[in-house]
Amino acid sequence: MITLKELCDYARVTRRTIQGYEEKGLLKSVSKNKMGHLLYENESIEQVNLIRFYQSIGFSLKEIKQFENMDSEDFKKLMEEKIVTLQAESVLVKDKIKKIYSLIEEGTQFPWKE
């Protein structure tokens, strides 16, 4: 068992982040210690890291909560759709990078300005 403070330290998140996950039903404390501090299973660190990963690839907390009710086929399909979305975003980012390189090479800041 670990305390809320330890969970925050290990997962590198704030107390407010953990509280938000609890409010959405994504994380749950298991008890309190004798000083009244919330206690979590050690596995909660991995849960928080996984939630943060899903957020980093564009899922909302509400969407992440729905993962619990998905069977493995639906989850796999959703992840495959996310791959397609991220690949499309990657193409757009690469195009922006190419445009920036072009501007650097041309020395152009504002082409409409003399």
Side-chain angles (χ1 to χ4, degrees), residues 45-60:
I45 299 165
E46 183 57 34
Q47 284 178 278
V48 170
N49 289 334
L50 196 54
I51 292 167
R52 292 179 67 214
F53 168 73
Y54 289 138
Q55 286 183 294
S56 77
I57 60 173
F59 289 106
S60 69

Side-chain angles (χ1 to χ4, degrees), residues 56-98:
S56 77
I57 60 173
F59 289 106
S60 69
L61 294 179
K62 183 178 179 180
E63 291 169 320
I64 296 167
K65 177 65 177 164
Q66 293 172 349
F67 294 172
E68 294 175 1
N69 301 321
M70 289 183 175
D71 62 29
S72 60
E73 279 302 310
D74 288 341
F75 182 76
K76 180 180 176 184
K77 183 179 176 188
L78 182 66
M79 290 300 119
E80 289 169 346
E81 290 170 0
K82 182 54 77 174
I83 289 170
V84 171
T85 301
L86 290 172
Q87 287 171 332
E89 290 173 6
S90 173
V91 168
L92 294 174
V93 169
K94 287 177 184 177
D95 287 345
K96 289 177 184 179
I97 291 169
K98 284 180 187 177

